[in-house]
Amino acid sequence: VPTFGQQETLRDAPALLTQLAEVRTDTARILLQCKLGEAYRSNKPDTSSLLANEALSKSTELKFKKAEIHSLLVLCVLQREKGDLPNALELGLKALRLAQDEELPSEEVMSAVRVAVVYLAVKDLPKAISYLKSVDDLLQKNYDDFTRFAADYFLGVAYEQSNDLGAAEKQMEILQ
């Protein structure tokens, strides 16, 4: 499901474009480019890729690791949706390593979820489940409703795909 687990959507684009036109700092501009990349990823993937690559280049130049991670995550999901799963995994794991190295728990959670979803796509269910369970531990200290819901949903999907229907049902009950 391409748009599931997507915080920014196409309907957010006009407001994000307005913010982008008004922003005064490079760091804020880069983060808004990442949000726009997320918003456009399903409907305008070429625009999304352009925004994410520009943000990645500028964030790397400025050594702005948080935005570098967000850029990599946009590119990760674009590659996954395009079907280039090895590249998606590489981008997601790079984002995860950066988040861990920089001790950015929110970005670590987002990265682990993106990596898990790539593992779901290649049917490596044990790895997907492992990454999603690691998210659970991180969310105990850094709670985020959106990411919690996405992680629980994908964990339920992983259990269902592995025919552990009891665990899948339990995960779906959590979502209700």
Side-chain angles (χ1 to χ4, degrees):
V1 181
T3 58
F4 188 83
Q6 184 173 342
Q7 200 156 18
E8 291 84 12
T9 63
L10 192 58
R11 76 173 158 247
D12 298 316
L16 291 170
L17 286 167
T18 300
Q19 290 175 26
L20 188 62
E22 296 171 355
V23 73
R24 300 286 176 240
T25 66
D26 285 340
T27 54
R29 182 177 324 315
I30 294 166
L31 287 172
L32 282 167
Q33 284 180 307
C34 293
K35 287 183 176 195
L36 268 169
E38 285 285 347
Y40 285 143
R41 76 177 213 218
S42 295
N43 298 78
K44 298 180 178 187
D46 292 340
T47 301
S48 178
S49 181
L50 178 68
L51 287 163
N53 278 303
E54 284 179 10
L56 180 60
S57 176
K58 192 67 172 176
S59 63
T60 302
E61 176 187 322
L62 296 175
K63 296 180 176 32
F64 183 26
K65 298 299 182 182
K66 180 176 182 172
E68 189 174 338
I69 294 163
H70 284 264
S71 304
L72 289 167
L73 292 176
V74 174
L75 294 169
C76 170
V77 78
L78 287 169
Q79 293 303 306
R80 189 196 78 227
E81 290 174 358
K82 192 169 94 173
D84 187 350
L85 300 177
N87 195 24
L89 184 60
E90 182 180 326
L91 291 163
L93 288 171
K94 183 175 181 181
L96 180 59
R97 280 190 300 277
L98 276 172
Q100 291 167 335
D101 291 347
E102 296 296 315
E103 297 182 7
L104 296 168
S106 294
E107 285 70 21
E108 186 176 347
V109 167
M110 289 185 284
S111 300
V113 169
R114 291 280 166 94
V115 168
V117 174
V118 174
Y119 279 122
L120 278 174
V122 298
K123 304 293 186 217
D124 189 338
L125 303 175
K127 283 188 180 172
I129 290 168
S130 175
Y131 277 96
L132 290 165
K133 285 186 174 182
S134 76
V135 166
D136 189 52
D137 295 338
L138 288 166
L139 284 171
Q140 298 299 323
K141 297 176 190 159
N142 305 284
Y143 193 79
D144 169 0
D145 284 335
F146 177 80
T147 309
R148 161 60 64 203
F149 182 84
D152 285 342
Y153 173 81
F154 288 122
L155 190 54
V157 169
Y159 284 138
E160 180 182 39
Q161 288 181 11
S162 63
N163 289 320
D164 187 345
L165 300 182
E169 187 175 316
K170 181 179 175 189
Q171 281 305 120
M172 293 305 146
E173 286 174 5
I174 290 170
L175 295 173
Q176 295 175 1

